[in-house]
Amino acid sequence: EPEVTQTPSHQVTQMGQEVILRCVPISNHLYFYWYRQILGQKVEFLVSFYNNEISEKSEIFDDQFSVERPDGSNFTLKIRSTKLEDSAMYFCASKSRGQETSPLHFGNGTRLTVT
Amino acid sequence: GDSVTQMEGPVTLSEEAFLTINCTYTATGYPSLFWYVQYPGEGLQLLLKATKADDKGSNKGFEATYRKETTSFHLEKGSVQVSDSAVYFCALGNTGTASKLTFGTGTRLQVTL
């Protein structure tokens, strides 16, 4: 079964550094998402992306965050200047159709540790 | 706004015990409801879903019924196995919200022999 793949599985960075988290969504999917899960807390929506633009973003997704689909297969999340509170598990997800009944397919996540 | 409330964990059960994990939601309109499972070291996997009132989602022995009158979507399994040990997330997806999911906090299930 096709999978969403994320790299790296674990990223350690110093505060103030830029990080790029990478995702390869399922190939025929059209809708892409980033979520994050701070340890012990709920999974939170960050951003959705469709037709090469952001369709919705949460208040967490401030100017320090950006997303890009640089080619036909990758979907990246960039954090420009990381803060300690950005430490979390970041999940990429994709879906084939936009309806709310269509489920999301998640990757295994990238654990980001900011020191 | 939309929200999901799940029972606090962890839930510890012996193998073959009956499982219920409570989930209630607040939403406008007619959301779809989902249960996702996260096994250790893995991402979130769809377990089951229900898209309208009174629908019952089922998979791998797990069931949940979409109850609009009580705004609930409780997860049940008649006989749990050690391999069911995981974190279970209730979620809702609503129209007009870029189809994003709103998650509960997750409930950790530990099944022992």
Side-chain angles (χ1 to χ4, degrees), chain B residues 18-59:
Chain B
F18 184 86
L19 168 72
T20 300
I21 299 178
N22 289 338
C23 171
T24 57
Y25 67 90
T26 302
T28 56
Y30 302 95
S32 294
L33 301 173
F34 304 85
W35 277 100
Y36 280 81
V37 58
Q38 185 180 29
Y39 297 104
E42 299 185 16
L44 296 155
Q45 302 175 25
L46 178 68
L47 180 60
L48 53 84
K49 72 174 186 179
T51 59
K52 61 183 188 296
D54 299 325
D55 266 3
K56 177 186 284 188
S58 61
N59 185 25

Side-chain angles (χ1 to χ4, degrees), chain B:
Chain B
D2 298 343
S3 68
V4 176
T5 303
Q6 280 182 247
M7 63 187 287
E8 293 282 332
V11 173
T12 303
L13 294 173
S14 298
E15 202 169 43
E16 299 183 0
F18 184 86
L19 168 72
T20 300
I21 299 178
N22 289 338
C23 171
T24 57
Y25 67 90
T26 302
T28 56
Y30 302 95
S32 294
L33 301 173
F34 304 85
W35 277 100
Y36 280 81
V37 58
Q38 185 180 29
Y39 297 104
E42 299 185 16
L44 296 155
Q45 302 175 25
L46 178 68
L47 180 60
L48 53 84
K49 72 174 186 179
T51 59
K52 61 183 188 296
D54 299 325
D55 266 3
K56 177 186 284 188
S58 61
N59 185 25
K60 301 181 182 179
F62 291 89
E63 293 183 339
T65 301
Y66 187 161
R67 302 280 187 207
K68 194 166 175 64
E69 64 275 14
T70 54
T71 61
S72 65
F73 193 55
H74 304 322
L75 182 68
E76 296 182 336
K77 187 173 185 182
S79 175
V80 293
Q81 306 300 310
V82 172
S83 56
D84 293 327
S85 298
V87 181
Y88 292 82
F89 292 91
C90 185
L92 74 82
N94 216 339
T95 56
T97 57
S99 301
K100 73 174 191 282
L101 292 179
T102 300
F103 284 89
T105 52
T107 302
R108 181 174 299 280
L109 170 65
Q110 182 70 45
V111 181
T112 59
L113 289 172

Side-chain angles (χ1 to χ4, degrees), chain A residues 7-63:
Chain A
T7 55
S9 57
H10 192 186
Q11 174 93 44
V12 181
T13 189
Q14 289 189 325
M15 195 168 53
Q17 296 296 303
E18 174 184 287
V19 293
I20 297 176
L21 309 183
R22 303 182 190 279
C23 170
V24 179
I26 295 173
S27 63
N28 64 345
H29 284 189
L30 302 176
Y31 298 81
F32 313 112
Y33 304 79
W34 284 100
Y35 286 77
R36 78 172 186 190
Q37 184 183 24
I38 295 172
L39 188 64
Q41 298 185 25
K42 63 172 62 180
V43 177
E44 301 172 294
F45 168 77
L46 292 179
V47 66
S48 58
F49 191 87
Y50 170 70
N51 200 25
N52 283 321
E53 61 184 22
I54 290 173
S55 45
E56 187 174 354
K57 59 184 180 180
S58 72
E59 59 191 27
I60 302 168
F61 194 88
D62 61 23
D63 291 344

